[in-house]
Amino acid sequence: MKRHLFIIALSAIFSITGCEQEELSPRTNPRFIATYIQSIDETGVGFACNIYDFGSEEIIEYGFLYSLNDYPIMENSEVISQVGKPGDQFSMKVEQSLINGVNYAVVAFIQTTTERVYSKPIGFVSQGAPGFIFEKFEYKTPIFYGDTITVWGSKLSKLTDKYAVNFQNQEAQVINIEENSFKFIVPEFYEFNTSENGPDYFDVTLQVLDKTISMNVNIPFQDAEFEVRDIQLIDYGGRVEIHGNYLKDANLKIVTSNAILESIHWTNVTVEYAGNDKIVFKPRISYSETNQYLTLEIRGKTYSLGNKVFEFKTP
């Protein structure tokens, strides 16, 4: 019986010792043999890497970082990657915009569950690449200032500072960069087309890395909306208020006339306030009381409100 208890105790000691040795085993990271340029021409650059040791940690992602910086890291680089564990050798090709004749550096990386490991950087001189390919715009219709427009395409950059968007000659903020799309916010602008194309055609310029695409596109823009109100009786020198939505326009034009106008090119009232939901103006006393037909031009579109908006009080 004593001998049996001794064997059990001895087994327990060995078991505990074994656990301690397991827990104390050093964690090892993956190790690279080399990262090298597999191919380079005007269609892009092919990178390749050989792995000497996968290490002890689970590998969840691998790929390459390339950058104008001599030491590429996630914060300053473009990334191409795949999920999972690679083989002893892996390769990928970059077809995003690369500037011809410019020096870049590349590193391979392996992401484990606890750490990201980089290879030694190597340099190369780009011969160019096709770069960003535009597919389509996606947006709610009609659009207005502050709305977002999604740009769908391929061969995009992962770095926000590699994008520039101009919408009707105003810089637009780029947000939400994904693998095959990015968004930009419609800026406030007041250059609306009044030519034969109409006010809903806009000049849009998209720049991704070194590639720029310019186009003139038809995107329906929100019309002004007006509230129907009782006729306003005003004194000479009094104020008229127009209420509604989407009225904002830095180039607002208002004309009072004695007949309906098809279009206007000037303003003959004194505008005191012009906001998104209200416009306040004074008709000029020099015009006769018969000039009560009201016409506005807002964002390149003409709105005839007729002669039921205001009347002068009779003496």
Side-chain angles (χ1 to χ4, degrees), residues 193-208:
N193 190 1
T194 56
S195 68
E196 60 184 18
N197 278 343
D200 290 339
Y201 279 81
F202 304 107
D203 292 325
V204 182
T205 301
L206 309 173
Q207 181 177 341
V208 181

Side-chain angles (χ1 to χ4, degrees), residues 30-53:
R31 289 185 287 172
F32 303 93
I33 292 178
T35 298
Y36 54 94
I37 305 301
Q38 195 172 47
S39 63
I40 184 167
D41 56 31
E42 67 278 359
T43 68
V45 181
F47 302 135
C49 179
N50 293 332
I51 301 174
Y52 172 73
D53 183 353

